[in-house]
């Protein structure tokens, strides 16, 4: 037994009248099983007999009254009454037990004995398994305390475990749990679940006793003494010190324990002041959230946090006060996340998944403060809490990392106190700002109360003459409020377990939106001519509904869809009395269809709501996160719509909304007037297009073609007249937008165009229209190229004949890409050129001829010769086109003409290709050669000329090769240290060519070599090659001019080459000695050895080399070690 001071505060002090003075006479018998007094649950279900008044009254009292109040109200409570109150005080539904022991909500899953997968490991499922396996034993209910043992069967890895479990409860809620298993988790362990479900399912098998204080009250002094002594004897090692301490305090007249009236009883239920709520382990909630946050999105922590948020929503739906309590604990841990300060310090953005968790946090607080039956003191407490979090520097902003200029949502409401004027320009809007603003909202508006509580709230005599009319012409109610705020009310009603009220308000909001859409259309038609003449683009909505932090369209859609599926069950609100004393009653019938048009269903209304929201023209928000959220929410909503099978009614709605969106002007993203920075409609229009195409192709194409616009990429002309009609909110039109999602948007635009091209196959008129739209609206070459490729694939499917019209569209798009990328750098350019030639080949010979005729507008000269003309003249192209000889010759002539034009424009890069292409046409070849000669003196470098010269030799034109080689030599300059220059092989080849042509040619080229080459090793190599064979070897093959004599080194031209080589060695030697280091000495000696070989080729070479060495010794005598090496080698 624990010490008195350690008793939890919920264990109230219990006493009886006359306690301490006079004892009640007589004794009452000990307890009996739960079902012994009155009809039990089990007996009622078996015999179908009506409940007794005692049970009915006891059940109601057990639900609402703390037992202390019952004791205070009545001086004497008969034992049977006490028993029934205690009996009915235990929870009777398994739904709450499931909620506190698993992430799964209740419903049809409750009571089933587990499923495969992760669900079987949930405490609730494991508890059911233990119960059904007969593992629960020794169950005893003493007053408001339930105890028992639960046996965990042995496993191959674990021995059998017997757990002692105890549960305290009050007013049908479990208020405390303990288990010897040592479970550390947010949820109840499986053993607590097993014991609790045992009590719920088998109440007749549970021994029931009154609270222990009642039993003790029945004992006389001897019995009490015996009771205490036996208790101490059984548990003497545990309770003896405590028992002695309590005895000492009781025997002391002035002790604190004697100053208190009564004594604590852990089985007597709650006191009047105790909060009646289910047991929630706050410490474990904080620890789990802290752990998940520390994992930074790994190990499924984001999923776990989302499950916790779902648990909060589940609690709110069951009107469990722990919902707000749990959310407070979660928020405190989020605010204490050390990464917030780190990200702020580093100026980096939080991760996208983490940012979404913060959004959900803000949305949940919005739901909590909008609780229709929230007490004023509760709302005031939450407001103080929210303001405290809001004032922290690291509190995340609503739109990510950018400030927001959206207006305070309360200043557009028809009721409530005026908003703070400073909030109109407040730059600091955190994730809690909307919840703080929502604290100013209330539910007292009579019109609002009638909307959500009455199924027949109409006014057929109401005259609709204002925009803020309370009813429409049909007498149906309207609710004019800032749309996201109104939808937040719907979400709050759903979240707090009022689905029917949420549905009524949702239907009213949608009818208001439809009426507003109609009014906007009429208004635009009256101003249409004026607006179109001015050419002004404007936006009517700064705050878009799709991508909004409160997700208004998603809320309406979900509310209507869930009702349509019949998945919502709940109770109805009653606003009579004070705000904090609302009550609810069962209401099985709900004729909400009264406010649906003929043939409409909740499903069709949900679809129409989504179409209205997605088609709204709204400005693209600032900031990366806000823009990504717009795209993400749009795709999520469209994903839900795509799951719905279209019937005739839905097709009718699609047609109706498509026409309205096309005609709604600046109010629609598909209207004629589009603000430059409006959110594009490509993704939405693609969905509409594919949905409407089988039913109304013309309308589908109108929608898709209108949506192709992307004005943010188009240049704008500032208008001098910026006046607007009174209904249009103007935004500065000329500020440069920062669209972080532009790449994604352009991709969606491209996909819309590709979808239209695919659908238009075989229809020349539609293909032409789509092509014009693509050329007008798509500004990215890569996306146009993708469309061209897509069209080509569709047109050339293997199972059908090529679609020539679509092929021409593909070619036209390819030509546009060529023009767009002609003067810009694009790493895919070569791929684009090759693809275009392939596409033109498929179209036909006329297309190939056309691109060659107009090559200068499409290709660079290099591309035209190396890719286009070469491919056109290849055998594979000729075979693919099935050309006759005449057609082949015409195509070849066009290719040769192109090649010559390119060679004239860019001889450096195109001359060789032109010569290659013109090989089979003598005149063209001669023209190309002349172009090369003309360009050789000015525009071509030695590398290009050597390459063409080698080509000429290869083609059998050695004289022309020689001429080009000599021209190349005039552009060459090899310094003394360039002994690895790539042009050396070309020089050696040119000298070999000259040598083979004859003495005269060699004599002509050697002066050029001497002038251009200063590298000694290269010159000596050329010299040796010239002395090994006789000149004119190539000519000798065709004539007898060759004399067979080797050339003399003492005569021209070799004497000139020899002198130049010796001079190069001397100059190189002096140059190397200027900066030589000891580690290069041996290399230098080898260099001198090669030089000596060249010197000795002259008749006086020995003398020259000796003089050269002597000069070195004299000039560089300071390099003693080097000169010593020179003496050792050369004397």
């Amino acid at each position: 037994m624990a010490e008195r001071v350690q008793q939890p505060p919920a264990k109230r002090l219990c006493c009886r009248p006359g306690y301490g003075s006079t004892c009640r006479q007589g004794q009452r018998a000990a307890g009996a099983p739960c079902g012994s007094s009155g009809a039990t649950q089990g007996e009622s279900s078996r015999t179908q007999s009506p409940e007794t008044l005692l049970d009915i009254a006891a059940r109601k009292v057990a639900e609402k009254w703390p037992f202390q109040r019952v004791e205070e109200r009545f001086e004497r409570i008969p034992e049977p009454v006490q028993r029934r109150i205690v009996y009915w005080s235990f929870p009777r539904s398994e739904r709450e037990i499931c909620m506190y022991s698993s992430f799964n909500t209740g419903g049809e899953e409750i009571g089933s004995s587990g499923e495969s997968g992760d669900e079987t490991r949930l405490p609730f499922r494991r508890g059911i398994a233990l119960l059904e396996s007969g593992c629960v034993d020794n169950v005893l209910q003493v007053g408001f305390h339930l105890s028992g043992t639960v046996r965990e069967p042995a496993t191959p890895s674990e021995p059998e475990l017997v757990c002692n479990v105890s549960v305290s409860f009050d007013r049908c809620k479990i208020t405390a749990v303990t288990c010897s298993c040592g479970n550390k988790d947010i949820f109840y362990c499986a053993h607590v679940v097993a014991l609790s479900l045992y009590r719920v399912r088998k109440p007749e098998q549970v021994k029931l006793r009154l609270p222990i204080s009642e039993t003790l009250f029945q004992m006389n002094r001897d019995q009490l003494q015996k009771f205490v002594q036996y208790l101490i004897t059984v548990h003497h090692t545990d309770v003896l010190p405590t028992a002695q301490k309590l005895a000492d305090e009781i025997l002391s007249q002035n002790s604190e324990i004697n100053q208190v009236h009564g004594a604590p009883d852990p089985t007597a239920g709650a006191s009047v002041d105790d909060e009646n709520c289910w047991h929630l382990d706050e410490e474990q909630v904080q620890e789990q959230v802290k752990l998940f946050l520390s994992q930074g999105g790994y190990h499924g922590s984001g999923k776990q946090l989302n499950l916790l948020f779902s648990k909060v929503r589940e609690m709110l739906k069951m009107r469990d006060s722990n919902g707000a309590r749990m959310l407070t604990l979660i928020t405190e841990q989020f605010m204490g996340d050390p990464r917030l300060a780190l990200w702020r310090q580093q100026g980096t953005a939080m991760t996208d998944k983490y940012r979404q968790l913060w959004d959900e946090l803000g949305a949940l607080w919005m739901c909590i403060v909008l609780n229709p039956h929230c007490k004023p003191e509760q709302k005031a407490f939450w407001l103080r809490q929210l303001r405290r979090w809001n004032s922290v520097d690291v509190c995340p902003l609503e739109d990510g990392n950018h400030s927001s200029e959206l207006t305070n949502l309360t200043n557009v409401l028809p009721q409530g106190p005026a908003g703070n004027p400073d909030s109109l320009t407040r730059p600091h809007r955190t994730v809690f700002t909307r919840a703080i603003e929502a604290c100013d909202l209330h539910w007292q508006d009579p019109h609002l109360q009638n909307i959500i509580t009455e199924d027949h709230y109409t006014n057929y005599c109401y005259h609709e003459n204002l925009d803020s009319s309370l009813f429409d012409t049909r007498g149906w109610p309207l609710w004019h409020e800032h749309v996201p705020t109104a939808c937040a009310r719907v979400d709050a009603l759903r979240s707090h377990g009022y689905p029917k009220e949420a549905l009524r308000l949702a239907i009213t909001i949608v009818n208001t939106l439809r009426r507003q859409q109609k009014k906007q259309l009429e208004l635009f038609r009256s101003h249409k001519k004026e607006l179109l003449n001015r050419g002004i683009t404007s936006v009517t909505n700064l705050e878009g509904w799709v991508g909004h932090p409160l997700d208004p369209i998603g809320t309406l859609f979900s509310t209507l869809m869930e009702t349509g599926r019949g998945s919502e069950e709940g109770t109805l609100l009653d606003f009579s009395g004070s705000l904090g004393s609302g009550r609810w009653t069962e209401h099985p019938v709900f004729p909400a269809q009264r406010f649906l048009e003929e043939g409409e269903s909740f499903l069709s209304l949900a679809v129409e709501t989504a179409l209205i929201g997605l088609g709204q023209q709204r400005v693209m928000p600032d900031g990366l996160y806000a823009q990504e959220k717009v795209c993400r929410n749009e795709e999520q909503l469209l994903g839900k719509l795509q799951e719905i099978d279209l019937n005739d009614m839905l097709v009718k709605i699609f047609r109706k909304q498509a026409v309205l969106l096309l005609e709604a002007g600046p109010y629609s993203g598909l209207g004629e007037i589009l603000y430059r920075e409006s959110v594009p409609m490509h993704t939405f229009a693609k969905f509409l297009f594919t949905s409407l195409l089988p039913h109304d192709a013309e309308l589908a194409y109108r929608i898709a073609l209108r949506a192709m616009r992307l004005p943010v990429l188009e240049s704008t002309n500032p208008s001098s007249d910026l006046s607007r009609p009174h209904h249009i909110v103007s935004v500065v039109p000329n500020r440069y937008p920062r669209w972080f999602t532009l790449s994604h948007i352009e991709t969606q635009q491209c996909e819309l165009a590709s979808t239209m091209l695919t659908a238009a196959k075989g229809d020349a008129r539609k293909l032409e229209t789509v092509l014009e739209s693509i050329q007008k609206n798509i500004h990215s070459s890569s996306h146009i190229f993708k469309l061209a490729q897509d069209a080509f694939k569709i047109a050339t499917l293997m199972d059908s004949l090529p679609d020539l019209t679509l092929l021409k569209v593909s070619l036209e798009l390819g030509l546009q890409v060529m023009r767009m990328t002609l003067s810009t750098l694009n790493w895919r350019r070569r791929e684009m050129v090759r693809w275009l030639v392939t596409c033109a080949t498929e179209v036909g010979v006329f297309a190939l001829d056309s691109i060659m005729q107009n090559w200068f507008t499409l290709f660079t000269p290099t591309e035209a010769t190396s890719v286009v003309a070469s491919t056109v003249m290849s055998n594979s192209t000729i075979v693919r086109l099935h050309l006759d000889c005449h057609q082949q010759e015409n195509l070849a002539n066009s290719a040769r003409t192109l090649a010559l034009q390119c060679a004239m424009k860019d001889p450096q890069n195109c001359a060789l290709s032109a010569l290659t292409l013109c090989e089979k046409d003598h005149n063209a070849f001669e023209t190309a050669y002349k172009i090369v000669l003309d360009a050789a003196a000015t525009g071509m470098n030695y590398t290009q000329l050597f390459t063409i010269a080698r080509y000429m030799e290869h083609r059998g034109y050695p004289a022309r090769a020689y001429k080009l080689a000599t021209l190349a030599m005039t552009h060459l300059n090899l310094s003394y240290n360039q002994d690895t220059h790539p042009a050396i092989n070309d020089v050696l080849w040119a000298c070999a060519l000259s040598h083979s042509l004859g003495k005269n040619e060699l004599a002509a080229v050697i002066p050029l070599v001497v002038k251009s080459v200063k590298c000694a090793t290269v010159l000596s190599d050329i010299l040796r090659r010239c002395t090994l064979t006789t000149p004119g070897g190539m000519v000798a093959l065709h004539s007898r001019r060759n004399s067979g004599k080797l050339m003399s080194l003492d005569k021209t031209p070799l004497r000139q080459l020899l002198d130049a080589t010796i001079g190069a060695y001397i100059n190189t030697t002096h140059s190397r000695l200027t900066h030589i280091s000891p580690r290069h000495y041996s290399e230098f000696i080898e260099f001198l050895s090669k030089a000596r070989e060249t010197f000795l080729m002259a008749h006086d070479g020995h003398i020259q080399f000796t003089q050269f060495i002597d000069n070195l010794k004299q000039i560089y005598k300071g390099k003693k070690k080097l000169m010593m090496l020179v003496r050792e080698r050369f004397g």
Side-chain angles (χ1 to χ4, degrees), residues 95-134:
R95 188 177 181 186
E96 288 85 357
I97 298 171
C98 176
M99 182 172 72
Y100 280 93
S101 56
S102 67
F103 279 121
N104 293 31
T105 56
E108 70 280 359
E109 295 179 335
I110 297 176
S112 61
S113 56
E115 300 170 3
S116 60
D118 292 339
E119 269 193 23
T120 59
R121 295 196 294 270
L122 291 171
F124 185 74
R125 296 296 179 194
R126 289 177 50 224
I128 290 177
L130 291 171
L131 173 63
E132 294 178 347
S133 301

Side-chain angles (χ1 to χ4, degrees), residues 1072 1079-1088:
R1072 296 183 67 168
R1079 69 175 181 272
H1080 295 133
Y1081 284 175
S1082 59
E1083 181 185 339
F1084 178 73
I1085 297 301
E1086 293 301 321
F1087 175 76
L1088 286 181

Side-chain angles (χ1 to χ4, degrees), residues 462-471 478-480 515:
Y462 195 89
H463 296 289
E464 183 184 20
N465 54 6
L466 297 172
D467 290 339
S468 58
S469 301
L470 300 181
F471 299 89
L478 304 172
W479 180 243
H480 297 280
R515 176 181 176 274

